[in-house]
Amino acid sequence: CATQNNALTSAKAMCVVEAASGRVLYEKNADERLPMASTTKICTVLTVLRHIDELDKVVTVDKQACGIEGSSVYLTEGERLTVRDLLYGLMLRSGNDCAVQLALTVGGSVAGFVEMMNDVALSLGCTNTHFVTPHGLHDEQHYTTARELALITREAFRNQTFAEIVAAKTYRVTTDNSTRVFLNKNKLLNNYEFADGVKT
């Protein structure tokens, strides 16, 4: 039976959890430590929301947040956006530059913010999760398990703002320099009627 069930997915690991109760419905290699890539950003948002109440606070983009490799919304130094704008850029476009700017804004430094992320994970009982970055670019010491990622995600969904962000198909942001429209990269929001997030 287990062999047959494992044929249901090509994923190396997975954990399906009932959101309301936390009951595990299906799992495969759920406790294996694996890199989490951009799903890191689920905890990035959760950490921001736990430490900032004023989401419409205006932030001036720091040079450190510009030119980050990988997915980007192409922030420019000195540009002014709100924390809310950065959260949407983070989750809809997977903006690694947004991750760094949020880390600087909330934690004072990337290292300081990552420490806060690890504290959030530990507060949820995640002992097989360790963050090194706020965006998930590969690092051997940056990992989680399917079970613990599900736990972090379930906790994040308790926050109404998080739920609204990850369910959004588009978001428009106007800054001093330009108007951007963020289109959500998560194709499930269009292809599966019951999808309400979360992160590619």
Side-chain angles (χ1 to χ4, degrees):
C1 182
T3 303
Q4 184 179 5
N5 283 342
N6 281 340
L8 294 174
T9 177
S10 61
K12 189 169 184 179
M14 67 177 292
C15 188
V16 179
V17 175
E18 184 178 55
S21 68
R23 182 167 61 108
V24 175
L25 304 178
Y26 177 75
E27 62 182 89
K28 173 185 172 183
N29 300 328
D31 297 310
E32 183 178 350
R33 287 183 177 181
L34 294 167
M36 66 195 106
S38 279
T39 57
T40 295
K41 292 162 183 162
I42 297 167
C43 194
T44 302
V45 176
L46 179 57
T47 303
V48 170
L49 294 177
R50 282 193 173 188
H51 290 89
I52 284 193
D53 294 324
E54 189 185 345
L55 297 186
D56 293 317
K57 173 185 177 182
V58 176
V59 173
T60 301
V61 174
D62 191 280
K63 183 178 181 179
Q64 292 179 67
C66 303
I68 308 298
E69 67 176 288
S71 299
S72 175
V73 301
Y74 305 103
L75 296 176
T76 59
E77 184 180 359
E79 185 177 13
R80 291 160 54 83
L81 301 89
T82 66
V83 171
R84 189 185 308 275
D85 294 337
L86 292 167
L87 289 171
Y88 274 91
L90 181 75
M91 295 305 278
L92 273 62
R93 297 307 299 166
S94 202
N96 292 340
D97 46 358
C98 293
V100 172
Q101 185 57 57
L102 286 164
L104 295 172
T105 300
V106 177
S109 67
V110 171
F113 182 79
V114 168
E115 188 173 328
M116 295 163 70
M117 291 176 70
N118 284 313
D119 287 344
V120 168
L122 284 172
S123 76
L124 299 176
C126 298
T127 56
N128 282 308
T129 296
H130 186 254
F131 296 103
V132 175
T133 75
H135 42 59
L137 290 174
H138 185 72
D139 186 291
E140 291 294 334
Q141 297 304 310
H142 190 92
Y143 55 79
T144 191
T145 67
R147 188 185 312 281
E148 293 190 356
L149 184 59
L151 185 64
I152 292 167
T153 304
R154 180 172 174 254
E155 176 65 20
F157 259 115
R158 294 174 186 269
N159 186 293
Q160 184 61 36
T161 300
F162 178 91
E164 289 173 1
I165 291 170
V166 298
K169 295 180 180 179
T170 64
Y171 180 79
R172 180 182 296 271
V173 53
T174 301
T175 69
D176 301 333
N177 302 324
S178 65
T179 297
R180 298 181 180 91
V181 177
F182 299 148
L183 302 178
N184 201 322
K185 290 185 175 183
N186 187 355
K187 294 180 180 178
L188 284 175
L189 291 174
N190 292 314
N191 297 342
Y192 180 58
E193 64 174 306
F194 302 107
D196 54 6
V198 175
K199 185 72 192 69
T200 52

